[in-house]
Amino acid sequence: MISSSYMTARLATSATMIAAIVVLYVAKELLLPLAIAVLLTFALAPIVSFLRKMKLPRLAAVIGAVAFAFAAISIFSLIVAAQVSQVAQDIPKYQSNIVEKIRVLKETGSEDGVISRLGRVFERVNTEINESASSATPANPQLHGEQRPLLVQIFSPQRPIETLRNIIEPLVGPLATTGLVIVIVIFMLLEREELRDRFIRLVGYSDLHRTTQALQDAGSRVGKYLLMQLVVNITYGVPLAAGLWLLGIPNALLWGMLAIVFRFVPYIGPVIAAVIPLFLAIAVAPGWSLLIWTAGLFILLELLSNNVIEPWLYGSRTGLSPLAIIVAAVFWAWLWGPIGLVLSTPLTVCLVVLGRHVPQFEFLQILLGDEPVLDPHERLYQRLLADDLDEATDNAEQMLEDKYLIEYHSAVSIPALLLGEQDRARGALTKSQLADLAENAREVVANLNEIAAEEEDEDEQDREDDDKDSKTPGKADEKEDEFDVDLPDGSGKSVLCIGGHGELDDVAAVILVQVMSVEGAECEAVGHRDLVAARMRSLPLEGRNSIVIGFLNPDSLKYSRFAVRRLRRLAPHSRIGLVLWTSPGSEKPFDENQLAERLEADFIAFSLADCVVGALSDDKPRDVKPKKQKSIRRSRPTTSARRKAETETDA
């Protein structure tokens, strides 16, 4: 049942989000320059800090950084404007090539081809429009059959002041916005520490640690993203301009510069940057080879940028999932137009940081962040419940590229089974669901047998090589550095693993068998149903060095004492151990020495590694002396009682 306080908090958060969106939309004329100024402040803050380290005064460092940034932006904008004007003048030159290519495409198609059909449709529409226009023109009987007069429009010359006003008015808005942004950036950089302190006092004075961490996280993520994205875009735009110039595409400098800007727009930016150059490749040359070379250039640069340059330059991720980046781009474009599209990623990064450090907005981190919201063992359990064995196996194999099999089972498989046991104990799983869960878990473990065999071969090779320094570094060696538990050699030893009290205990026994087989031991697993007295004599106990019984539920230990005693009588030369499975990092629920003494077991383990060490140990089984049963002495009846009994018998 959801509490009323929880619902009230959720409703308050939802109302706050809706009100914030309304304010962002209504006040975008005011907030958009402010948002640009804040992001530029994040981007220029590292430069100002560097200049301050060079012993420059604060004012000089701020003015220098801002002047350099806006001078570069102004020069960039002027070059782009000049190039665009030149492209507009040159477009009519390429009309003949475009018409020729359309004609060739039309001729190559059949009479019933798509292009022919589209051409006929356009011709019909054009005819209908012309006929409608001619019929809508009123007829003048006096001019019937005679030449119609030409329309004359009189233009009055404008005054110089009006001409100047028409030129200046369109520039006032952008220039005023640019000036406002420059002033805001300068004052934000000058009073950065003061603004930080005021913000902390306003929203987070009661928790200075969390507020400071949030500010540092936001500044670091946004600043690194903007600077690194700029570097990545430049390393993309400069080679693109050079390549287009070598191919003969007109105004190659313009397309390289626009690519630098458009790549700030996630995913669709590179596509927009490639459209016009590809169109010009069709227009400027009569053949098709230039189009192919231009498309190849874009594909090559995209592959290099995405797979080489970006992983190399990005020291940290933005913290956004790919889907969140796309959704954020659509949202901010709807809210603030094209500028919002460019600013979508850094603005969304700020929202994710807010969700990470403010509990009320944690859902933003869950919805937009790139960090997994489920732990690996929770993810495995969910996949087992959903009968998605392929994804469960793929995730396991991916983790096993960097981990040992015992590490994976200890950190993922056993905790996943513990989740299943908890759901079983509280009645959340039906019998059929429990059976399916256990069967799915068995199949996933079986799918890892090949990896277990590979690890076993590597261990055998390592055991044969006495000089460990002569080993060739490889995947196994990289894993060994991460796993510090020294597991004993299981060669020549035989172990029987038994599930304690349920179907999931049986799966844990299978996992234990797989892990100890890697260490060279001969292992076998049996189910919990074989622990009953009627079947215990048929267990394969002959020649076993150790017998291990595993329980996922601590309450099931009450069934173990009888089983240990029976196994002790049936296999007196075997070590008998109990393992109470626990999650990594959790506290031990019992003292192993006291529990072993009480249950008369040779060893008690709480983890997979400890169980392997105990089962493959060379120690002898404990000497348990059978307890003498007390004889009950019956008192002899007295003489009077005996006579009374004889009298009653005679009667």
Side-chain angles (χ1 to χ4, degrees):
M1 182 68 68
I2 300 176
S3 62
S4 59
S5 59
Y6 176 83
M7 290 298 299
T8 303
R10 285 299 182 186
L11 290 175
T13 303
S14 301
T16 302
M17 294 295 296
I18 294 174
I21 293 174
V22 172
V23 171
L24 288 174
Y25 184 80
V26 174
K28 63 180 178 181
E29 298 295 335
L30 173 64
L31 296 178
L32 190 56
L34 184 61
I36 296 174
V38 171
L39 295 178
L40 287 176
T41 302
F42 279 127
L44 295 178
I47 301 176
V48 174
S49 299
F50 174 76
L51 295 177
R52 291 281 293 154
K53 292 179 181 179
M54 301 298 293
K55 306 301 182 182
L56 265 71
R58 176 182 295 275
L59 182 60
V62 171
I63 296 297
V66 174
F68 173 78
F70 280 93
I73 294 173
S74 300
I75 295 173
F76 186 92
S77 303
L78 291 175
I79 295 175
V80 169
Q83 292 284 319
V84 169
S85 177
Q86 185 178 353
V87 169
Q89 295 176 2
D90 295 340
I91 283 294
K93 299 179 182 178
Y94 314 129
Q95 182 177 356
S96 59
N97 288 331
I98 298 174
V99 172
E100 179 64 20
K101 283 188 171 59
I102 294 176
R103 187 187 63 80
V104 170
L105 289 174
K106 189 174 181 179
E107 289 179 354
T108 54
S110 61
E111 285 295 324
D112 294 331
V114 176
I115 298 177
S116 300
R117 291 181 180 180
L118 289 176
R120 289 196 294 269
V121 169
F122 288 137
E123 290 176 0
R124 291 174 184 172
V125 171
N126 190 27
T127 303
E128 291 292 334
I129 292 174
N130 293 334
E131 290 179 355
S132 299
S134 61
S135 61
T137 304
N140 192 341
Q142 295 180 355
L143 298 177
H144 183 71
E146 299 180 4
Q147 187 177 5
R148 296 183 180 181
L150 298 175
L151 296 176
V152 178
Q153 188 174 2
I154 300 175
F155 294 92
S156 60
Q158 293 182 343
R159 298 178 181 178
I161 297 179
E162 294 179 354
T163 304
L164 184 61
R165 185 182 63 184
N166 293 335
I167 296 175
I168 294 178
E169 278 184 353
L171 300 176
V172 170
L175 290 176
T177 302
T178 304
L180 179 62
V181 171
I182 293 174
V183 172
I184 294 175
V185 170
I186 291 175
F187 278 95
M188 281 188 171
L189 289 173
L190 286 174
E191 301 183 5
R192 185 175 49 167
E193 290 79 7
E194 182 68 20
L195 290 174
R196 179 199 60 199
D197 296 342
R198 291 181 181 276
F199 182 79
I200 292 175
R201 178 65 179 178
L202 181 63
V203 301
Y205 185 70
S206 59
D207 194 348
L208 289 175
H209 172 72
R210 175 176 292 180
T211 308
T212 303
Q213 189 176 4
L215 289 175
Q216 291 178 346
D217 193 6
S220 175
R221 285 178 180 269
V222 175
K224 285 184 178 180
Y225 167 76
L226 292 174
L227 290 178
M228 290 299 101
Q229 187 65 49
L230 178 61
V231 174
V232 169
N233 293 358
I234 291 175
T235 58
Y236 178 90
V238 172
L240 176 64
L244 294 177
W245 177 74
L246 291 175
L247 291 176
I249 300 296
N251 306 99
L253 179 62
L254 172 64
W255 314 128
M257 297 175 72
L258 290 180
I260 294 175
V261 177
F262 284 135
R263 278 184 62 84
F264 278 102
V265 181
Y267 297 107
I268 63 174
V271 177
I272 298 174
V275 169
I276 299 181
L278 292 175
F279 174 77
L280 287 177
I282 297 175
V284 299
W288 298 96
S289 60
L290 183 59
L291 175 63
I292 297 174
W293 281 105
T294 304
L297 175 63
F298 276 98
I299 294 174
L300 176 63
L301 289 177
E302 281 294 327
L303 292 176
L304 290 175
S305 179
N306 295 333
N307 299 298
V308 178
I309 298 177
E310 288 187 5
W312 175 51
L313 287 179
Y314 280 135
S316 61
R317 300 171 298 177
T318 60
L320 301 179
S321 66
L323 180 60
I325 292 176
I326 297 175
V327 173
V330 174
F331 172 77
W332 290 106
W334 166 76
L335 203 63
W336 284 351
I339 298 180
L341 188 64
V342 176
L343 302 179
S344 61
T345 299
L347 291 175
T348 310
V349 167
C350 295
L351 293 179
V352 171
V353 172
L354 178 68
R356 176 173 299 177
H357 297 284
V358 180
Q360 291 83 353
F361 298 98
E362 185 182 3
F363 68 95
L364 293 174
Q365 164 69 13
I366 296 174
L367 293 176
L368 304 176
D370 62 344
E371 296 179 358
V373 295
L374 294 179
D375 291 332
H377 68 281
E378 295 173 333
R379 192 175 183 184
L380 173 61
Y381 180 55
Q382 192 274 332
R383 292 293 86 197
L384 294 177
L385 290 175
D387 293 330
D388 192 350
L389 304 185
D390 292 335
E391 184 177 347
T393 304
D394 292 341
N395 293 336
E397 292 176 348
Q398 184 178 1
M399 293 186 66
L400 287 170
E401 293 179 359
D402 302 317
K403 293 182 179 295
Y404 277 120
L405 193 65
I406 187 174
E407 287 181 285
Y408 172 77
H409 285 316
S410 298
V412 181
S413 300
I414 296 298
L417 294 179
L418 287 171
L419 290 178
E421 178 61 25
Q422 292 172 6
D423 285 347
R424 183 206 65 79
R426 66 187 180 90
L429 295 176
T430 62
K431 290 185 178 181
S432 61
Q433 289 174 335
L434 181 62
D436 293 340
L437 176 64
E439 183 61 27
N440 291 339
R442 284 177 179 272
E443 291 189 23
V444 172
V445 175
N447 292 339
L448 304 180
N449 284 335
E450 185 177 351
I451 297 177
E454 293 176 358
E455 287 193 11
E456 183 179 359
D457 294 340
E458 292 173 358
D459 287 348
E460 290 180 359
Q461 184 178 358
D462 292 342
R463 285 191 290 267
E464 294 174 359
D465 193 353
D466 295 331
D467 187 4
K468 295 185 178 181
D469 295 334
S470 63
K471 290 192 303 180
T472 302
K475 178 180 176 182
D477 295 332
E478 295 174 359
K479 290 181 178 181
E480 190 173 359
D481 293 336
E482 300 176 4
F483 192 62
D484 298 331
V485 178
D486 188 13
L487 299 178
D489 183 10
S491 301
K493 296 180 180 178
S494 179
V495 181
L496 178 65
C497 302
I498 308 175
H501 191 63
E503 297 179 60
L504 298 181
D505 291 336
D506 298 344
V507 180
V510 174
I511 292 174
L512 183 58
V513 167
Q514 188 179 71
V515 171
M516 285 195 290
S517 298
V518 172
E519 304 305 320
E522 179 188 351
C523 300
E524 185 178 352
V526 295
H528 67 285
R529 293 184 176 87
D530 294 324
L531 274 181
V532 298
R535 298 184 181 181
M536 198 172 291
R537 289 185 178 275
S538 61
L539 289 173
L541 303 175
E542 186 68 27
R544 301 294 181 182
N545 299 93
S546 298
I547 302 172
V548 182
I549 308 174
F551 298 92
L552 291 166
N553 193 333
D555 296 336
S556 300
L557 282 176
K558 59 187 177 183
Y559 303 103
S560 63
R561 191 169 187 177
F562 168 78
V564 170
R565 288 181 178 180
R566 294 279 296 178
L567 292 173
R568 183 77 65 189
R569 289 197 296 268
L570 295 174
H573 302 293
S574 301
R575 284 170 49 84
I576 300 176
L578 299 175
V579 52
L580 179 59
W581 301 110
T582 56
S583 299
S586 59
E587 296 182 359
K588 296 180 180 180
F590 305 101
D591 180 80
E592 56 263 35
N593 295 326
Q594 295 179 1
L595 186 62
E597 189 70 27
R598 181 166 61 88
L599 299 179
E600 301 179 0
D602 294 298
F603 65 92
I604 300 292
F606 297 99
S607 66
L608 192 55
D610 292 341
C611 184
V612 173
V613 172
L616 301 182
S617 174
D618 293 326
D619 296 341
K620 300 296 182 182
R622 72 161 57 219
D623 185 14
V624 180
K625 296 181 180 180
K627 296 182 179 180
K628 296 182 180 180
Q629 295 192 4
K630 298 179 180 179
S631 59
I632 302 175
R633 295 184 62 183
R634 298 180 180 179
S635 58
R636 298 181 64 183
T638 60
T639 304
S640 59
R642 188 167 57 252
R643 289 177 179 176
K644 182 179 180 180
E646 291 175 354
T647 304
E648 292 177 355
T649 303
D650 294 340

